Amino acid sequence: GAQMTKTAVMQFEGLLPILSLVNSEDEECVHTGIYCLGSLAENDEVTSKLVKLGAISAVVNQSSLGTIEVKRASGYFLALLCESPEFHAELSKQGAFESVISLASLEDVECQEYAAFSLAHLSSNRDYQVRLVELGALTPIVAMMSTSSEPSHYASLALLKLADNFENHVAIAQAGGIQSLLRLGRSRATDEEVA
């Protein structure tokens, strides 16, 4: 069904017209194009082809300019790519880390959810733990952890992964991350005592 359709779009040269929508000037076309990329990226084979065609850079460029709908669609697309370590180097090279951190900093909960999910996966990659902190990931991570909203779970995972790296300890303390980790530990201990 759906997976075969996504592969067919790729096999019959349908990816380039979708990328041209993403690169257009029309906001509605941009949103529709990025939304389609997100749907197509649910197929691993198609995702690899999209990366080769430059989809990351197109989405990164539009996510910084677009409406909240464009930012949400961008967040979903980037989250799918962040889930696979094989794309982390290309995401880093194309400025996607900065886009994810920017999305995490927005007040929109849907953007925060996608960004927190992305940061949790990127933070699991030891090669990028220090870079994420240097780019400013701690501020939105700590802020998301202080709420009881959906993104706090993935933000907590991201902070725990970043804390695995000794080089991040001072920055985590300066960003208020120690208090966030302590709250997390206390809440987990309380959950286990109740269970």
Side-chain angles (χ1 to χ4, degrees):
Q3 293 303 321
M4 287 176 49
T5 303
K6 292 170 186 181
T7 306
V9 169
M10 176 184 69
Q11 290 170 338
F12 294 104
E13 307 300 323
L15 299 179
L16 288 174
I18 294 170
L19 278 170
S20 70
L21 286 175
V22 173
N23 290 317
S24 81
E25 301 287 321
D26 181 272
E27 281 290 331
E28 200 169 318
C29 288
V30 171
H31 173 257
T32 302
I34 296 173
Y35 186 86
C36 288
L37 291 181
S39 179
L40 290 166
E42 293 169 358
N43 178 302
D44 295 337
E45 185 182 351
V46 176
T47 305
S48 296
K49 182 73 170 174
L50 285 170
V51 169
K52 287 180 183 138
L53 292 173
I56 294 173
S57 118
V59 170
V60 164
N61 290 339
Q62 292 294 1
S63 75
S64 64
L65 310 168
T67 63
I68 197 66
E69 288 82 15
V70 167
K71 291 178 187 317
R72 288 174 182 159
S74 299
Y76 181 70
F77 174 75
L78 293 173
L80 289 170
L81 270 65
C82 289
E83 199 171 8
S84 299
E86 69 183 283
F87 300 123
H88 288 182
E90 195 61 31
L91 287 161
S92 174
K93 194 165 64 175
Q94 298 296 329
F97 289 9
E98 293 87 340
S99 290
V100 167
I101 293 167
S102 175
L103 291 171
S105 302
L106 297 175
E107 288 188 27
D108 184 75
V109 175
E110 191 174 336
C111 287
Q112 287 180 0
E113 281 184 52
Y114 294 136
F117 180 86
S118 297
L119 289 168
H121 285 284
L122 293 172
S123 297
S124 296
N125 189 328
R126 193 147 183 84
D127 296 339
Y128 298 106
Q129 289 171 337
V130 172
R131 180 144 191 270
L132 287 166
V133 168
E134 290 171 349
L135 291 172
L138 288 174
T139 301
I141 287 172
V142 170
M144 286 185 285
M145 286 180 70
S146 68
T147 68
S148 59
S149 65
E150 201 59 38
S152 66
H153 170 73
Y154 285 110
S156 299
L157 292 175
L159 186 58
L160 285 169
K161 291 295 182 183
L162 292 174
D164 281 346
N165 193 314
F166 179 77
E167 292 179 61
N168 290 333
H169 288 184
V170 171
I172 289 170
Q174 291 171 336
I178 301 295
Q179 292 84 348
S180 296
L181 289 170
L182 288 171
R183 271 195 310 276
L184 179 65
R186 283 189 202 107
S187 72
R188 295 284 188 249
T190 305
D191 289 346
E192 288 172 17
E193 289 169 15
V194 172

